[in-house]
Amino acid sequence: MPRSMYPPFGLGVVTPTLELHGATDDLLADLLPVVRAGVADGPPYPFDDPMSLYEDGPLRERKWLQAIWRGRGNVRPESWRLYFVVTLGGRAVGMQDLIGTDFDRFRTVSTFSWLAPGVRGRGLGREMRAAVLHLAFEGFGAAEATSEAFFDNVASNRVSGTLGYRPDGHGWASRRGEPARLNRWRLHRDDWEARRRGDIVLTGVEACRPVLFIGEHGAPEA
Protein backbone atom coordinates (compact mmCIF):
# COMPACT_ATOMS: atom_id res chain seq x y z
CA MET A 1 0.00 0.00 0.00
CA PRO A 2 1.49 3.40 -0.98
CA ARG A 3 2.31 5.78 1.84
CA SER A 4 0.11 8.43 0.25
CA MET A 5 -2.90 6.13 0.77
CA TYR A 6 -2.02 5.38 4.39
CA PRO A 7 0.01 8.27 5.88
CA PRO A 8 0.97 6.39 9.11
CA PHE A 9 3.40 4.42 6.93
CA GLY A 10 5.27 7.70 6.41
CA LEU A 11 5.64 8.48 10.10
CA GLY A 12 9.19 8.32 11.41
CA VAL A 13 11.03 9.14 14.61
CA VAL A 14 14.83 9.26 14.61
CA THR A 15 17.04 9.44 17.70
CA PRO A 16 20.85 9.28 17.87
CA THR A 17 20.50 5.59 18.79
CA LEU A 18 17.57 4.11 16.88
CA GLU A 19 14.69 4.79 14.51
CA LEU A 20 10.93 4.15 14.54
CA HIS A 21 9.28 3.59 11.17
CA GLY A 22 5.61 3.13 10.33
CA ALA A 23 5.14 -0.64 10.18
CA THR A 24 4.78 -1.43 6.48
CA ASP A 25 4.44 -5.05 5.41
CA ASP A 26 8.06 -5.01 4.23
CA LEU A 27 9.25 -3.96 7.68
CA LEU A 28 7.00 -6.53 9.35
CA ALA A 29 8.58 -9.16 7.11
CA ASP A 30 12.01 -8.04 8.38
CA LEU A 31 10.76 -8.52 11.93
CA LEU A 32 9.07 -11.87 11.29
CA PRO A 33 12.17 -13.99 12.13
CA VAL A 34 12.29 -12.36 15.58
CA VAL A 35 8.64 -13.19 16.22
CA ARG A 36 9.18 -16.71 14.92
CA ALA A 37 12.12 -17.23 17.29
CA GLY A 38 10.07 -15.99 20.26
CA VAL A 39 9.70 -12.68 22.07
CA ALA A 40 8.22 -13.80 25.41
CA ASP A 41 11.22 -15.96 26.20
CA GLY A 42 10.53 -16.91 29.83
CA PRO A 43 9.04 -15.81 33.15
CA PRO A 44 8.23 -13.29 34.39
CA TYR A 45 6.10 -12.97 31.26
CA PRO A 46 5.52 -9.33 30.28
CA PHE A 47 2.21 -9.40 28.41
CA ASP A 48 -1.40 -9.79 29.48
CA ASP A 49 -3.92 -12.18 27.88
CA PRO A 50 -4.90 -12.70 25.16
CA MET A 51 -1.55 -12.16 23.48
CA SER A 52 -0.58 -13.84 20.24
CA LEU A 53 3.11 -13.72 21.15
CA TYR A 54 2.45 -16.59 23.59
CA GLU A 55 1.11 -18.86 20.85
CA ASP A 56 3.14 -21.66 19.31
CA GLY A 57 4.47 -21.04 15.81
CA PRO A 58 3.35 -20.70 13.07
CA LEU A 59 0.05 -19.60 14.67
CA ARG A 60 2.04 -17.00 16.61
CA GLU A 61 3.28 -15.26 13.46
CA ARG A 62 -0.12 -15.36 11.73
CA LYS A 63 -2.03 -13.93 14.70
CA TRP A 64 0.60 -11.25 15.24
CA LEU A 65 0.30 -10.07 11.64
CA GLN A 66 -3.49 -10.28 11.67
CA ALA A 67 -3.70 -8.11 14.79
CA ILE A 68 -1.61 -5.38 13.14
CA TRP A 69 -3.61 -5.54 9.91
CA ARG A 70 -6.86 -5.23 11.88
CA GLY A 71 -5.47 -2.26 13.78
CA ARG A 72 -4.60 -0.46 10.55
CA GLY A 73 -8.17 -0.86 9.31
CA ASN A 74 -9.81 0.21 12.56
CA VAL A 75 -8.71 3.85 12.82
CA ARG A 76 -11.63 5.86 14.23
CA PRO A 77 -11.93 9.18 16.09
CA GLU A 78 -12.51 7.31 19.35
CA SER A 79 -9.74 4.75 18.90
CA TRP A 80 -6.53 4.41 16.91
CA ARG A 81 -3.25 2.55 17.20
CA LEU A 82 0.00 3.33 15.40
CA TYR A 83 2.50 0.50 14.88
CA PHE A 84 6.21 1.22 14.52
CA VAL A 85 9.06 -1.13 13.73
CA VAL A 86 12.17 -0.26 15.74
CA THR A 87 15.40 -0.40 13.76
CA LEU A 88 18.93 -0.37 15.11
CA GLY A 89 21.64 0.21 12.53
CA GLY A 90 19.09 -0.65 9.84
CA ARG A 91 18.11 -3.94 11.50
CA ALA A 92 14.55 -4.55 12.74
CA VAL A 93 14.72 -5.37 16.47
CA GLY A 94 11.28 -4.69 17.96
CA MET A 95 8.01 -2.79 17.93
CA GLN A 96 6.71 0.35 19.58
CA ASP A 97 2.99 1.18 19.49
CA LEU A 98 1.21 4.44 20.27
CA ILE A 99 -2.48 4.20 21.19
CA GLY A 100 -5.07 6.97 21.35
CA THR A 101 -8.55 6.67 22.86
CA ASP A 102 -10.82 9.67 22.27
CA PHE A 103 -7.55 11.51 21.73
CA ASP A 104 -9.00 14.68 20.25
CA ARG A 105 -11.09 15.10 23.40
CA PHE A 106 -8.74 13.98 26.16
CA ARG A 107 -5.26 14.25 24.56
CA THR A 108 -4.12 11.08 26.32
CA VAL A 109 -2.04 8.27 24.82
CA SER A 110 -0.76 4.92 26.00
CA THR A 111 2.13 2.83 24.74
CA PHE A 112 3.09 -0.79 24.16
CA SER A 113 6.42 -2.23 23.08
CA TRP A 114 8.68 -5.24 22.86
CA LEU A 115 12.28 -5.92 21.91
CA ALA A 116 14.10 -8.95 20.56
CA PRO A 117 15.71 -10.85 23.46
CA GLY A 118 19.19 -10.41 21.98
CA VAL A 119 19.18 -6.61 22.25
CA ARG A 120 17.67 -6.15 25.69
CA GLY A 121 19.57 -4.61 28.57
CA ARG A 122 21.14 -1.86 26.44
CA GLY A 123 18.79 1.03 27.21
CA LEU A 124 16.86 0.63 23.96
CA GLY A 125 13.49 0.28 25.70
CA ARG A 126 13.94 3.68 27.31
CA GLU A 127 15.11 5.22 24.02
CA MET A 128 12.20 3.92 21.94
CA ARG A 129 9.68 5.02 24.57
CA ALA A 130 11.28 8.48 24.63
CA ALA A 131 11.02 8.56 20.83
CA VAL A 132 7.32 7.74 20.69
CA LEU A 133 6.57 10.14 23.56
CA HIS A 134 8.24 12.89 21.54
CA LEU A 135 5.87 12.08 18.69
CA ALA A 136 2.86 12.14 21.02
CA PHE A 137 3.69 15.38 22.85
CA GLU A 138 5.57 17.37 20.22
CA GLY A 139 3.94 15.98 17.10
CA PHE A 140 0.33 15.44 18.17
CA GLY A 141 -0.02 17.82 21.13
CA ALA A 142 -0.71 15.18 23.79
CA ALA A 143 -1.49 16.35 27.32
CA GLU A 144 -0.49 13.14 29.09
CA ALA A 145 0.66 9.57 28.55
CA THR A 146 -0.09 6.45 30.54
CA SER A 147 1.60 3.10 30.88
CA GLU A 148 0.98 -0.20 32.63
CA ALA A 149 3.41 -2.97 33.53
CA PHE A 150 3.21 -6.08 35.65
CA PHE A 151 4.71 -5.58 39.10
CA ASP A 152 7.64 -7.88 38.25
CA ASN A 153 8.41 -6.32 34.85
CA VAL A 154 11.41 -4.49 36.22
CA ALA A 155 12.59 -3.08 32.89
CA SER A 156 9.28 -1.47 31.91
CA ASN A 157 8.65 -0.01 35.36
CA ARG A 158 12.17 1.40 35.42
CA VAL A 159 11.69 3.03 32.00
CA SER A 160 8.52 4.75 33.20
CA GLY A 161 10.18 6.07 36.34
CA THR A 162 13.25 7.27 34.47
CA LEU A 163 11.20 9.17 31.88
CA GLY A 164 9.26 11.11 34.49
CA TYR A 165 6.04 9.11 34.81
CA ARG A 166 4.45 9.17 38.25
CA PRO A 167 2.86 6.16 39.97
CA ASP A 168 -0.87 6.09 39.29
CA GLY A 169 -2.18 3.15 41.31
CA HIS A 170 -2.53 -0.54 40.58
CA GLY A 171 -4.74 -2.90 38.64
CA TRP A 172 -5.05 -6.54 37.68
CA ALA A 173 -4.77 -8.51 34.45
CA SER A 174 -4.48 -12.15 33.52
CA ARG A 175 -1.12 -13.49 32.41
CA ARG A 176 -0.87 -16.98 30.94
CA GLY A 177 -4.25 -17.60 32.57
CA GLU A 178 -3.23 -16.42 36.05
CA PRO A 179 -4.05 -13.09 37.76
CA ALA A 180 -1.17 -10.68 38.22
CA ARG A 181 -0.93 -7.13 39.58
CA LEU A 182 -0.24 -4.20 37.28
CA ASN A 183 1.57 -1.00 38.16
CA ARG A 184 -0.01 2.04 36.52
CA TRP A 185 1.96 5.12 35.52
CA ARG A 186 1.03 8.61 34.23
CA LEU A 187 3.23 11.24 32.56
CA HIS A 188 1.90 14.81 32.49
CA ARG A 189 2.97 17.18 29.76
CA ASP A 190 4.79 19.48 32.21
CA ASP A 191 6.90 16.56 33.42
CA TRP A 192 7.71 15.62 29.83
CA GLU A 193 8.59 19.24 29.03
CA ALA A 194 11.06 19.26 31.91
CA ARG A 195 12.95 16.44 30.15
CA ARG A 196 12.27 17.48 26.56
CA ARG A 197 15.04 16.39 24.23
CA GLY A 198 16.40 18.37 21.32
CA ASP A 199 17.94 15.46 19.42
CA ILE A 200 14.80 13.63 18.23
CA VAL A 201 13.55 14.23 14.67
CA LEU A 202 9.96 13.64 13.49
CA THR A 203 8.81 13.10 9.90
CA GLY A 204 5.39 12.66 8.31
CA VAL A 205 3.41 14.18 11.18
CA GLU A 206 1.29 16.73 9.32
CA ALA A 207 0.07 14.22 6.74
CA CYS A 208 -0.94 11.85 9.54
CA ARG A 209 -2.92 14.23 11.75
CA PRO A 210 -6.13 14.23 9.62
CA VAL A 211 -6.05 10.42 9.40
CA LEU A 212 -6.12 10.29 13.21
CA PHE A 213 -8.85 12.97 13.41
CA ILE A 214 -6.56 15.25 15.42
CA GLY A 215 -7.87 18.79 15.60
CA GLU A 216 -11.17 18.10 13.86
CA HIS A 217 -13.41 18.62 16.89
CA GLY A 218 -12.13 21.86 18.31
CA ALA A 219 -9.93 20.41 21.05
CA PRO A 220 -7.75 23.10 22.65
CA GLU A 221 -4.13 23.23 21.68
CA ALA A 222 -1.86 21.52 24.23
Side-chain angles (χ1 to χ4, degrees), residues 112-130:
F112 173 82
S113 65
W114 58 262
L115 273 169
V119 297
R120 294 172 187 167
R122 297 162 55 177
L124 299 180
R126 180 178 65 250
E127 186 74 358
M128 55 204 259
R129 179 98 67 91

Side-chain angles (χ1 to χ4, degrees), residues 6-128:
Y6 189 66
F9 285 160
L11 276 173
V13 189
V14 178
T15 84
T17 304
L18 49 76
E19 300 181 6
L20 309 185
H21 296 281
T24 64
D25 283 353
D26 286 344
L27 284 170
L28 293 176
D30 291 342
L31 202 52
L32 195 59
V34 178
V35 177
R36 183 173 294 123
V39 175
D41 56 344
Y45 293 104
F47 310 125
D48 55 354
D49 294 332
M51 170 54 67
S52 63
L53 295 175
Y54 290 137
E55 300 281 5
D56 294 329
L59 182 60
R60 177 195 309 137
E61 299 97 293
R62 291 201 299 267
K63 290 183 70 172
W64 171 70
L65 286 169
Q66 288 169 349
I68 295 170
W69 292 335
R70 282 196 302 272
R72 288 179 188 164
N74 199 31
V75 175
R76 297 166 289 139
E78 63 270 23
S79 177
W80 47 258
R81 184 168 186 150
L82 299 175
Y83 302 88
F84 295 94
V85 172
V86 182
T87 63
L88 182 67
R91 179 167 63 102
V93 296
M95 290 203 75
Q96 175 70 67
D97 299 356
L98 183 68
I99 305 144
T101 303
D102 283 322
F103 180 81
D104 205 28
R105 182 179 304 167
F106 301 122
R107 298 283 166 153
T108 298
V109 296
S110 58
T111 58
F112 173 82
S113 65
W114 58 262
L115 273 169
V119 297
R120 294 172 187 167
R122 297 162 55 177
L124 299 180
R126 180 178 65 250
E127 186 74 358
M128 55 204 259

Side-chain angles (χ1 to χ4, degrees), residues 39-47 54 120 150-155 157 175-176 180:
V39 175
D41 56 344
Y45 293 104
F47 310 125
Y54 290 137
R120 294 172 187 167
F150 285 115
F151 71 100
D152 52 5
N153 188 338
V154 175
N157 286 299
R175 176 173 57 176
R176 307 301 298 266

